[in-house]
């Protein structure tokens, strides 16, 4: 891992802080981080990774605390965030959640879907920048963030954990439990990359004055953040459906489940109902994946992907794997609400952090 | 700046605040030295990140418990080093907190003696 890369990431994360704070403390913080990097570099790669991840997490946490306080509870939420969905919003939800499944069903080339979704995402982003980040833009933003976090952040993090490093640690995927452990690690890394990246983007956007009032709504209703993360699940499902038999029906079923969850979310009035809607949609979608992977266990071409021989309990492994994915996704979807439950400090003198 | 002159009214402190003030008690330190010292004093239980530290320092400055000054340029010329030092007010708050913790420990010890007697 390059220390230059760590330092660049650190500087990017510093952008989440208000400008006046950065003017006063950023240089000092970077100097300290450089010293810490120098020290960690001599202790090895793991120490470097641990330091960088800890620092980035600390910055994220501190930056969120530095943001302007939420509006008073009595303040009305902008209309764009509440109320039943418009027809256009439903259409966009359908496009985001169901099109990937339909493209698999109709055997459309991945490139065509990628180009179409790419154009649509750029269009939504431009519209959001011009007109503001309204609720209808969130699924597209979630999907875009998910793709970026997977391609850049997750791949970067995955590159850090090299096979040689795993070998040094004695983690060689021979038995089922080790494979599950590794899968839990990778899945966690992927979902936490999405979580971190999402909040970094929201943090950066909230520094822009014209978006601040709209994004402050997310501080009021954290199910909106869960909704963004939920949209990222589409991307994850699509990369899950690879080399599996009968994938067409199951892919369509799982995306329809996700779309149903999103629709229920938009129709629900209370926060707990909206949270439940997302969890239900995600659980049903994961159920469809679990069902799809049972017949896949006997597929010869799938076995050839791995250097080891699949055990007779491959179906059991797949079941546990999907369960692990579900557990991570549930945790990430609930994370914004759990963060909201953390008591705010600062009322008492000296209780700064 | 916090103008409350009664140290007792500012306690109890959070663990992070307590350790930062305690770290500065012997003399001024720069940020990295504070982080290392807190880790040492807490036997690595409290690991401050720069985000946590610089979330706390501005508040302590605002409350007038610490002060900030330019560090002499020696080891790291060009780097934005600043020194932090306890003010009289900060020292009073720290002493009040230590006194409070002492009384808590004393109460616990008395109860323990009572049980064994």
């Amino acid at each position: 891992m390059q220390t230059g890369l760590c330092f660049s990431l650190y500087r990017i994360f510093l952008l989440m802080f208000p400008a006046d704070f950065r003017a006063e403390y950023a240089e000092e913080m970077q100097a300290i981080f450089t010293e810490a990097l120098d020290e960690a570099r001599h202790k090895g790669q793991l120490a470097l990774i641990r330091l960088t991840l800890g620092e980035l997490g600390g910055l994220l946490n501190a930056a969120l605390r530095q943001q302007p306080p939420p509006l008073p509870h009595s303040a009305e939420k902008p209309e764009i965030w509440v109320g039943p969905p418009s027809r256009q919003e439903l259409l966009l939800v359908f496009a985001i959640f169901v099109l990937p499944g339909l493209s698999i069903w109709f055997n459309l080339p991945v490139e065509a879907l990628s180009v179409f979704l790419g154009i649509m995402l750029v269009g939504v982003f431009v519209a959001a920048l011009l007109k503001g980040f309204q609720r209808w833009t969130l699924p597209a933003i979630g999907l875009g963030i998910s793709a970026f976090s997977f391609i850049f952040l997750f791949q970067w993090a995955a590159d850090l954990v090299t096979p040689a490093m795993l070998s040094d640690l004695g983690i060689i995927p021979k038995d089922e439990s080790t494979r599950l452990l590794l899968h839990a690690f990778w899945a966690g890394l992927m979902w936490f990359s999405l979580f971190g990246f999402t909040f970094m983007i929201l943090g950066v956007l909230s520094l822009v004055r014209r978006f601040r009032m709209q994004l402050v709504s997310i501080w009021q209703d954290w199910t909106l953040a869960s909704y963004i993360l939920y949209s990222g699940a589409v991307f994850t499902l699509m990369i899950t459906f690879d080399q599996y038999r009968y994938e067409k029906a199951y892919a369509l079923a799982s995306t329809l489940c996700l779309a149903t969850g999103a629709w229920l979310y938009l129709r629900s009035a209370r926060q707990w109902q909206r949270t439940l809607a997302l969890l239900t949609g995600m659980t049903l979608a994961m159920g469809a994946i679990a069902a799809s992977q049972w017949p896949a266990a006997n597929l010869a071409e799938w076995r050839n992907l791995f250097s080891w021989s699949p055990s007779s309990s491959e179906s059991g492994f797949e079941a546990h794997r999907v369960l692990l994915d579900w557990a991570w996704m549930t945790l990430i979807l609930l994370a914004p609400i759990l963060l909201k439950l953390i008591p705010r400090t600062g009322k008492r003198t000296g209780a700064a952090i | 700046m916090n103008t409350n002159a009664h140290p007792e009214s500012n306690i109890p402190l959070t663990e992070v605040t307590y350790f930062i003030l305690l770290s500065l008690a012997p003399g001024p330190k720069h940020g990295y030295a504070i982080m290392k010292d807190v880790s040492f004093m807490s036997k690595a239980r409290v690991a401050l990140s720069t985000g946590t530290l610089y979330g706390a320092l501005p508040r302590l400055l605002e409350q007038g418990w610490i002060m900030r000054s330019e560090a002499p340029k020696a080891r790291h010329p060009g780097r934005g080093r600043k020194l932090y030092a306890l003010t009289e007010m900060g020292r009073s708050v720290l002493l009040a907190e230590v006194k409070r913790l002492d009384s808590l420990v004393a109460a616990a010890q008395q109860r323990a003696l009572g049980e064994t007697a």
Side-chain angles (χ1 to χ4, degrees), chain A residues 180-181 183-184 187 286 319-329:
Chain A
L180 276 175
L181 187 71
H183 179 75
M286 292 305 290
H320 289 121
R321 199 171 74 88
V322 175
L323 191 66
L324 278 173
D325 283 334
W326 176 83
W328 276 123
M329 290 163 83

Side-chain angles (χ1 to χ4, degrees), chain B residues 65-82:
Chain B
W65 296 358
I66 62 173
M67 56 189 175
R68 187 179 185 221
S69 59
E70 288 289 335
K73 291 177 183 175
R75 268 183 62 198
H76 298 278
R79 285 184 180 176
R81 281 206 160 201
K82 297 282 191 299

Side-chain angles (χ1 to χ4, degrees), chain A residues 61 65 335-345:
Chain A
N61 187 24
R65 289 171 187 273
I337 293 114
L338 295 175
L339 281 175
K340 176 81 174 177
L341 293 178
I342 295 174
R344 294 259 169 182
T345 54

Side-chain angles (χ1 to χ4, degrees), chain A residues 73-90:
Chain A
H73 288 295
S74 57
E76 286 186 10
K77 198 179 290 183
E79 282 184 10
I80 51 173
W81 300 104
V82 292
S86 64
R87 188 175 294 174
Q88 291 87 341
E89 188 171 8
L90 283 178

Side-chain angles (χ1 to χ4, degrees), chain B:
Chain B
M1 181 183 286
N2 184 9
T3 53
N4 195 338
H6 302 288
E8 290 79 11
S9 63
N10 295 307
I11 58 174
L13 303 178
T14 62
E15 200 171 23
V16 168
T17 304
Y18 171 73
F19 272 122
I20 291 173
L21 295 182
L22 194 61
S23 169
L24 296 175
K29 284 188 178 67
H30 56 78
Y32 192 51
I34 297 173
M35 287 167 65
K36 302 279 283 181
D37 199 30
V38 168
S39 176
F40 173 75
M41 284 190 294
S42 66
K43 296 184 171 62
R45 192 172 52 78
V46 179
L48 291 184
S49 67
T50 51
T52 310
L53 180 65
Y54 282 85
L57 289 178
R59 289 177 208 266
L60 298 179
L61 284 166
E62 192 183 339
Q63 286 161 342
W65 296 358
I66 62 173
M67 56 189 175
R68 187 179 185 221
S69 59
E70 288 289 335
K73 291 177 183 175
R75 268 183 62 198
H76 298 278
R79 285 184 180 176
R81 281 206 160 201
K82 297 282 191 299
L83 280 178
Y84 294 89
L86 266 189
T87 60
E88 280 308 309
M89 176 68 183
R91 193 171 295 277
S92 305
V93 172
L94 178 62
L95 286 173
E97 176 70 353
V98 170
K99 205 171 166 184
R100 185 187 72 85
L101 292 173
D102 267 346
S103 70
L104 290 180
V105 173
Q109 284 173 336
Q110 277 181 355
R111 171 53 59 93
L113 286 172
E115 283 177 354
T116 52

Side-chain angles (χ1 to χ4, degrees), chain A residues 168-219:
Chain A
D168 289 345
L169 292 170
I171 305 173
I172 301 165
K174 283 178 181 169
D175 55 82
E176 190 174 302
S177 57
T178 316
R179 286 168 61 198
L180 276 175
L181 187 71
L182 270 179
H183 179 75
F185 172 75
W186 290 123
L189 193 64
M190 184 168 74
W191 281 95
F192 274 101
S193 300
L194 173 63
F195 184 76
F197 199 60
T198 301
F199 277 80
M200 191 183 79
I201 297 285
L202 292 179
V204 170
L205 285 174
S206 66
L207 297 178
V208 182
R209 186 176 293 273
R210 63 179 297 211
F211 301 139
R212 180 167 294 170
M213 286 303 288
Q214 293 167 346
L215 291 168
V216 158
S217 296
I218 293 178
W219 262 249

Side-chain angles (χ1 to χ4, degrees), chain A residues 306-323:
Chain A
F306 300 94
S307 56
W308 64 81
S309 299
S311 65
S312 57
S313 60
E314 201 63 58
S315 295
F317 171 76
E318 290 298 329
H320 289 121
R321 199 171 74 88
V322 175
L323 191 66

